[in-house]
Amino acid sequence: MAEPTFSRPEQSRLLGIGLRVGATTCFAFMAAMIKLGYTRGVSTPELAFYRFAFGLPPLLVWMAFSRGFGAWRTERPLAHLWRAAIGLSTMVAAFSALRYLPLAESTTIGFAAPLFAVMLSAIVLKEPVGRHRWSAVIIGFLGVFIVMRPGGEEIPLIGLILATLAAFGVGVVTITIRQIGKTEGTQTTVLWFTLLSMLVLAATMPFYAQRLDAGTWAIMLALGLFGGLAQILLTASLRYAPVSAVVPFDYTQLLWAVLLGWYFFGNQPPATTWAGAAVIIASGLYTLYREHKLGRERPRTAPPL
């Protein structure tokens, strides 16, 4: 039986999808390392600091291989300062949510981030958002409500609030990056975010840093490496395949979250989590479909970036 052959565009698309799946896998393992760090008594500022400190080497290697040595140059330092403030606050909320929530529930609520981005694009960027996408946003938030299990098995309210704030923060970051991306490259944005966040977190370390054992250091190292590698794979996936092809595979992170939550912590998500996830994923995919369809219908006045 002859092996299937793929054209060059198909090969690039498959490579992009593979890189995206690798990114979501790394993000899932990063979340597991964060939760393991909490079980060993590591504070949130420490977790965030080591995420950047051990994630910086992969970033520098990426820059070296892509000859991005001039990434530190920018004409918009204040924009990067604002992006770092929003991004770091969002990261702290996301990390803190994992202290209280199982991996599956935290991951599922995080899927609401694109819905927040659509809502903010209409409010902040004044982009037209039709009734189809508004309907998808409303249905998606209904899925988040299902995951919160009102009247069912109790899960910490503080964890739900933090996870929702983190999803909203990711939506704000998405809009901010879209604005900065008009003049700044990806490596510039990532580098400035990393360095500025490390500077802020380093100032907190004299108050939070503690002696860690070898096992905890290994978790911190894995946390940083998984986070740094995920950022690289996420960015690289868009070089080989369009957004509409790779974004649906972001939802594979939920499968990893369930497996890792069961393996490390013995958590098994209830039916409400699966039901809410199905609603959120469906609304997200429909939003992506509408974006893709409208993108094809709009007349192009300039070549795509």
Side-chain angles (χ1 to χ4, degrees):
M1 182 176 179
E3 295 183 359
T5 58
F6 299 96
S7 65
R8 186 173 296 275
E10 289 174 325
Q11 289 176 341
S12 295
R13 186 178 292 251
L14 289 174
L15 177 58
I17 291 172
L19 290 169
R20 195 75 174 201
V21 172
T24 59
T25 301
C26 287
F27 277 128
F29 275 87
M30 183 189 78
M33 296 304 106
I34 293 168
K35 199 163 182 64
L36 284 174
Y38 278 127
T39 64
R40 289 175 170 259
V42 183
S43 66
T44 301
E46 287 178 290
L47 289 168
F49 177 78
Y50 293 129
R51 153 64 183 92
F52 287 113
F54 291 124
L56 184 58
L59 172 60
L60 296 178
V61 171
W62 173 37
M63 292 171 58
F65 273 97
S66 59
R67 301 181 183 275
F69 300 108
W72 60 273
R73 298 189 183 91
T74 180
E75 298 179 357
R76 304 180 63 187
L78 292 180
H80 288 291
L81 188 63
W82 168 250
R83 184 265 185 271
I86 297 297
L88 183 57
S89 300
T90 298
M91 177 177 287
V92 169
F95 280 28
S96 300
L98 287 166
R99 180 193 290 270
Y100 303 99
L101 298 181
L103 287 173
E105 279 74 3
S106 178
T107 300
T108 301
I109 295 175
F111 289 154
L115 306 178
F116 281 116
V118 170
M119 182 177 67
L120 290 170
S121 68
I123 298 173
V124 179
L125 301 181
K126 307 301 181 182
E127 294 181 350
V129 177
R131 54 188 171 84
H132 293 280
R133 283 183 289 173
W134 276 123
S135 299
V137 169
I138 294 171
I139 293 172
F141 287 135
L142 176 61
V144 174
F145 187 70
I146 294 173
V147 174
M148 291 180 175
R149 305 173 208 164
E153 180 186 348
E154 184 178 350
I155 54 179
L157 178 61
I158 182 62
L160 296 173
I161 293 174
L162 288 168
T164 304
L165 286 175
F168 176 78
V170 172
V172 176
V173 168
T174 301
I175 299 301
T176 304
I177 291 177
R178 286 175 63 179
Q179 293 175 317
I180 296 176
K182 295 176 181 178
T183 58
E184 305 289 281
T186 300
Q187 291 180 340
T188 301
T189 303
V190 175
L191 180 63
W192 274 77
F193 174 50
T194 299
L195 296 179
L196 288 172
S197 298
M198 281 186 63
L199 183 63
V200 172
L201 292 168
T204 70
M205 292 303 283
F207 306 99
Y208 290 97
Q210 55 188 311
R211 181 172 297 181
L212 306 179
D213 58 31
T216 306
W217 275 118
I219 292 173
M220 296 301 99
L221 176 62
L223 163 63
L225 292 179
F226 278 126
L229 185 59
Q231 188 71 58
I232 295 171
L233 294 175
L234 193 74
T235 304
S237 68
L238 296 175
R239 293 184 57 191
Y240 298 98
V243 172
S244 59
V246 298
V247 166
F249 292 89
D250 288 354
Y251 298 111
T252 59
Q253 185 175 342
L254 179 59
L255 301 178
W256 281 110
V258 171
L259 289 173
L260 294 172
W262 167 77
Y263 181 78
F264 286 116
F265 311 105
N267 299 136
Q268 294 185 3
T272 50
T273 298
W274 289 112
V279 173
I280 296 171
I281 291 172
S283 64
L285 291 177
Y286 183 74
T287 300
L288 182 67
Y289 162 75
R290 290 296 301 178
E291 291 281 355
H292 180 64
K293 182 178 180 180
L294 291 174
R296 288 189 304 173
E297 293 175 352
R298 292 191 191 102
R300 291 184 178 180
T301 58
L305 294 178

